[in-house]
């Protein structure tokens, strides 16, 4: 099969599009012909490498897959369109689970064929196209879980960082459909326009305005009910500062670094909470599918690249030029 292989950590140059042997089915696993695989920021972490995290080289990235079943099993027929729930058993203590195509032994979806545990297969919801079905299993599931953990109710105010990102754009669409008021952050005029179109109520261009004072102005100095923070070190201090009394900061990412200096006094004096979120459960993914169908929500797709152009896709994400999800087209 054709696949994108990495043999060491590094920049986009370590992504090698080449012929490689098809996976051999193992007990309890199935083979899926990959139609589309989304690019997620996790792919960049794994490609670059993170100290203390290991992969087994040669490795294949890609955790967000829609595809076609190669063989029947259980209630599934050969040729069924499916998606893959990306969490697998953890082999690391004090980590909830691993992710297919992430750190660990499972090879991912930057390939014509992927092997996954049978229990990770979900029938593709009819509401989504093959492209859309490869966009929702990581960013949308995480945003959904973050919004659930935020415990926001209708008309609550939520601050969403990075409007153009996979997680941010998903959080805006889902929060809007839940009836929340959304403040979001962009870093230029185009991204701000995009955020408005998605349904944000108030957009702050962080390169022009001070985020803390703008959020406090918008909320009459009260602060927001919750913050969806996937950016990490650079945004945590502001995220905590703009929370209202008993507000919740929900965190899932470290795009700008994993070690933040925060105002602990501000945290406890308003009895605020910091909540960590890691992906979401399979049942949350199924509930998300139903919600998106009910509310007629379609994931925002930025662009589709041929698998062999994967380096261009990674560069686009690293330059943060995307508005929503980027996909690799593989077999469809
Ligand atoms: N815990 C989990 O289960 C989980 C699941 C999914 C994702 N994540 C993590 O969440 C993060 C986002 O993932 P993604 O795929 O959505 O990434 P992405 O599409 O590459 O988005 C990155 C975002 O970060 C923003 N950003 C970068 N520097 C910033 C700064 N200094 N201040 C404010 N915003 C900044 C960018 O905004 P601009 O373009 O405006 O710079 C962009 O919107 C990643 O770290 C990823 O690993 C975690």
């Amino acid at each position: 099969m054709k696949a994108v292989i990495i043999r060491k950590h590094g920049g986009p140059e370590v992504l090698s599009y080449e012929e490689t042997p098809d996976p051999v089915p193992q007990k309890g696993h199935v083979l899926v012909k990959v139609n589309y695989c989304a690019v997620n920021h996790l792919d960049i972490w794994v490609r670059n490498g993170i100290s203390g995290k290991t992969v087994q080289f040669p490795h294949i990235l890609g955790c967000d897959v829609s595809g076609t079943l190669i063989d029947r099993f259980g209630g599934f027929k050969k040729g069924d369109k499916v998606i893959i729930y990306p969490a697998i058993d953890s082999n690391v203590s004090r980590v909830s689970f691993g992710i297919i195509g992430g750190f660990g032994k499972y090879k991912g979806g930057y390939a014509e064929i992927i092997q996954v545990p049978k229990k990770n297969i979900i029938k593709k919801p009819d509401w989504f196209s093959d492209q859309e079905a490869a966009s929702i299993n990581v960013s949308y599931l995480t945003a959904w879980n973050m919004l659930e953990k935020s415990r926001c109710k209708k008309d609550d105010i939520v601050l969403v960082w990075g409007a153009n990102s996979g997680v941010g754009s998903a959080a805006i669409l889902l929060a809007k459909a839940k009836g929340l008021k959304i403040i979001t952050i962009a870093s230029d005029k185009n991204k701000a326009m995009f955020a408005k179109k998605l349904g944000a109520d108030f957009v702050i261009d962080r390169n022009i305005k001070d985020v803390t004072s703008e959020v406090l102005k918008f909320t009459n100095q009260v602060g927001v009910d919750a913050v969806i923070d996937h950016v990490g070190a650079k945004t945590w201090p502001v995220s905590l500062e703009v929370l209202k009394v008993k507000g919740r900061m929900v965190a899932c990412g470290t795009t700008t670094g994993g070690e933040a200096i925060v105002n602990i006094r501000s945290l406890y004096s308003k009895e605020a909470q910091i909540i960590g979120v890691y992906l979401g459960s399979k049942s949350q993914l199924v509930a998300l599918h139903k919600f998106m169908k009910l509310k007629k929500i379609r994931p925002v797709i930025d662009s589709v690249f041929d698998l062999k152009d994967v380096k261009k896709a990674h560069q686009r994400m690293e330059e943060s030029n995307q508005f929503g999800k980027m996909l690799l087209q593989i077999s469809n």
Side-chain angles (χ1 to χ4, degrees), residues 5-205:
I5 308 287
I6 59 166
R7 292 192 171 76
K8 58 177 183 181
H9 295 301
E13 70 283 353
V14 302
L15 300 162
S16 169
Y17 176 72
E18 57 188 69
E19 190 64 36
T20 189
D22 290 0
V24 179
Q26 309 287 308
K27 193 164 176 268
H29 291 64
V30 281
L31 298 183
V32 174
K33 181 165 83 73
V34 179
N35 296 332
Y36 290 91
C37 182
V39 178
N40 282 281
H41 215 99
L42 173 67
D43 308 351
I44 294 181
W45 298 130
V46 181
R47 195 205 67 205
N48 280 337
I50 294 181
S51 158
K53 298 255 193 186
T54 54
V55 294
Q56 286 174 9
F57 292 122
H59 189 52
I60 300 177
L61 305 172
C63 51
D64 212 347
V65 170
S66 76
T68 308
L69 259 192
I70 290 182
D71 284 313
R72 56 170 283 279
F73 78 94
F76 292 91
K77 301 188 300 299
K78 177 180 176 173
D80 274 353
K81 292 279 182 85
V82 295
I83 57 170
I84 296 171
Y85 172 61
I88 36 153
D89 295 342
S90 172
N91 53 3
V92 180
S93 58
R94 291 178 289 112
V95 173
S96 300
F97 45 78
I99 299 204
I100 289 168
F103 293 100
K105 65 174 185 172
Y106 272 87
K107 309 222 179 304
Y110 287 17
E112 286 177 325
I113 303 173
I114 185 173
Q115 172 166 209
V116 294
K118 288 178 179 167
K119 64 183 178 193
N120 287 61
I121 296 290
I122 299 177
K123 200 168 176 325
K124 180 182 85 66
D126 294 338
W127 168 249
F128 298 116
S129 68
D130 288 359
Q131 289 187 357
E132 290 166 345
S135 310
I136 46 183
N137 311 302
V138 177
S139 307
Y140 279 72
L141 175 57
T142 306
W144 175 253
N145 193 6
M146 292 176 92
L147 288 168
E148 284 196 339
K149 299 271 168 26
S150 79
R151 306 191 303 278
C152 279
K153 306 175 300 297
K154 192 170 176 304
D155 294 328
D156 281 357
I157 304 179
V158 64
L159 169 64
V160 177
W161 285 98
N164 63 314
S165 64
V167 174
S169 56
I172 294 171
L173 285 181
L174 297 173
K176 190 77 187 168
K178 282 172 173 266
L180 311 187
K181 291 208 168 53
I182 303 152
I183 304 174
T184 193
I185 313 301
S187 60
D188 67 30
K189 223 164 73 181
N190 283 341
K191 290 174 185 173
M193 252 163 47
F194 167 79
K196 269 275 174 208
K197 266 200 216 148
L198 284 187
D201 297 279
F202 184 49
V203 185
I204 303 167
D205 183 335

Side-chain angles (χ1 to χ4, degrees), residues 298-315:
R298 299 208 165 275
V300 186
I301 295 176
D302 169 77
S303 47
V304 182
F305 292 81
D306 202 275
L307 182 61
K308 61 178 175 331
D309 294 326
V310 61
K311 289 179 189 167
K312 289 185 194 156
H314 274 222
Q315 276 154 358

